[in-house]
Amino acid sequence: MAKKNRSAPAKGLRASKAGLALSLGSSALAVLRASKQVRRARSSHDKLNTADAVAGMLPLITSAALVLRQLRGRKRENEPETA
């Protein structure tokens, strides 16, 4: 029996401009929250907590960068070509 692709609705939403903007906004909020955690860890001078907070931020930054790349690609597709 074939498995259902449970990510199909999210994939469709992410393909739309509104979905990409929503994804970028949520990624930006997550980065802000994680940066606050980094500041708290640094102020307590706990190196392990600081390293944990920084390591937790890396996937969020990567996710935001991927969404931005998709948005830029969409913008290039919509621009009329001048020759």
Side-chain angles (χ1 to χ4, degrees), residues 5-47:
N5 187 0
R6 295 187 187 269
S7 67
K11 204 174 209 180
L13 178 65
R14 203 153 190 206
S16 70
K17 200 170 196 175
L20 285 172
L22 182 64
S23 180
L24 182 62
S26 64
S27 292
L29 285 175
V31 167
L32 288 174
R33 190 175 14 179
S35 65
K36 189 185 232 183
Q37 183 183 2
V38 168
R39 275 186 263 131
R40 264 191 253 128
R42 288 188 70 198
S43 68
S44 69
H45 302 292
D46 187 351
K47 290 182 181 180

Side-chain angles (χ1 to χ4, degrees), residues 34 37-38 47-62:
Q37 183 183 2
V38 168
K47 290 182 181 180
L48 190 57
N49 270 342
T50 303
D52 181 47
V54 169
M57 252 177 102
L58 294 176
L60 300 173
I61 293 169
T62 303

Side-chain angles (χ1 to χ4, degrees), residues 72-82:
R72 286 183 184 147
R74 254 179 196 273
K75 186 178 177 182
R76 285 188 199 124
E77 287 175 2
N78 292 337
E79 288 178 359
E81 291 194 28
T82 56

